Amino acid sequence: GAGCGGRACARAVTAALAVAACGLLVASTMQSGTGFGFSLIAGPALFAVVEPAAAVGLVLVLGQVVNLLVLFGERRWPQPDWSAVLPALVAALPGLPIGALLVRTLPESSLRIGVGLVVCAVVLERFARRLAGHRPRTVENGEPVGRGGAVAAGLTVGVLTTSTTTSGPPLAIWLTGRRMTPTTLRDTVTVIFFVLDLVGIAVVIAVVGAGSSLARADWMPLLIPVAVAGHLLGRQVFLRLPAGHYEQVVLTFALAAGTAGIATGIA
């Protein structure tokens, strides 16, 4: 642009790519290792170096790369809990266009602070119940309990997917309240994210415009290999994570993500 020398611009782009790549590597490792965390780590890194609409587009497309690797790149058959997938998706899909509109109307900082406060409150309440000896609500007699929780979590996830991209914590909080093995929980989350990211890409392009949401598509050939490397690292983390500690790790991640959302929103 005007007033920007060629070398200065090149250095700025290189620095921006480095920030994006570092955030993406950590994000894809976390996502592959726990089933959560991609957008919460990659989102702030990308929002810091590109425009919000372009950041949302990058997060959705690169997140889809990790989703595909988890579901189809590990030489196994996915094991999602469809009784959790279907109600969450039905509730989440209407939230996608709402989130895309929020990108154009509300400050991202306000959204991050609000989401962070709610997430922290819910996680702390969950930890308090665990310390008091209360068991989480689970599946009884083959029927999932807490359908209202599925609707609330799904709608929130849909709105956040296309607005702040921080859709993981509400889903983490809801799904850890169900009796699932770590593999089933991870696959359930990945299937939900796969569908939402796929639809979310189309919604963001339709609402925000292809020019804005795909403005940094030229970064994809450089960032996709980083996402693949992160997946390979995260897969090893998942295989070595004790099953009995999985829920605690996921809830701790959600609390940290909520706190980070508040901090970045204020900053």
Side-chain angles (χ1 to χ4, degrees):
C4 179
R7 290 184 180 179
C9 286
R11 286 196 295 268
V13 171
T14 301
L17 268 172
V19 171
C22 290
L24 177 62
L25 181 63
V26 177
S28 53
T29 300
M30 178 66 74
Q31 179 72 24
S32 180
T34 67
F36 300 93
F38 183 85
S39 60
L40 289 160
I41 299 172
L46 290 168
F47 271 94
V49 295
V50 300
E51 294 297 318
V56 171
L58 283 171
V59 170
L60 291 176
V61 174
L62 293 169
Q64 198 69 307
V65 172
V66 180
N67 292 335
L68 289 170
L69 288 171
V70 171
L71 293 175
F72 306 113
E74 298 182 350
R75 298 181 181 179
R76 64 183 181 85
W77 191 254
Q79 305 171 30
D81 180 353
W82 292 105
S83 70
V85 170
L86 296 178
L89 285 178
V90 169
L93 290 175
L96 293 173
I98 298 174
L101 289 172
L102 289 178
V103 171
R104 302 176 59 179
T105 57
L106 293 180
E108 185 216 346
S109 58
S110 299
L111 292 172
R112 286 188 180 277
I113 292 171
V115 172
L117 289 172
V118 172
V119 166
C120 288
V122 174
V123 173
L124 291 174
E125 188 271 342
R126 177 73 63 82
F127 276 131
R129 289 176 61 84
R130 285 168 61 90
L131 290 174
H134 294 287
R135 295 178 58 84
R137 301 183 72 186
T138 58
V139 178
E140 298 172 353
N141 302 320
E143 292 295 329
V145 299
R147 290 187 182 274
V151 173
L155 183 61
T156 303
V157 167
V159 172
L160 296 178
T161 295
T162 50
S163 55
T164 66
T165 73
T166 55
S167 56
L171 200 58
I173 292 167
W174 175 57
L175 288 177
T176 52
R178 299 171 62 92
R179 185 176 299 160
M180 295 183 185
T181 66
T183 298
T184 298
L185 194 152
R186 179 172 176 258
D187 287 351
T188 299
V189 171
T190 304
V191 169
I192 292 172
F193 283 159
F194 172 78
V195 175
L196 292 181
D197 287 354
L198 188 65
V199 179
I201 292 168
V203 169
V204 169
I205 290 175
V207 175
V208 180
S212 297
S213 56
L214 301 179
R216 292 300 179 184
D218 57 318
W219 286 12
M220 292 296 180
L222 299 173
L223 294 179
I224 287 176
V226 177
V228 174
H231 165 74
L232 295 176
L233 291 172
R235 172 65 175 164
Q236 297 306 310
V237 172
F238 177 76
L239 293 175
R240 289 165 173 75
L241 185 64
H245 296 161
Y246 186 78
E247 180 180 343
Q248 183 176 353
V249 169
V250 171
L251 288 176
T252 301
F253 142 75
L255 181 61
T259 303
I262 297 170
T264 56
I266 293 173

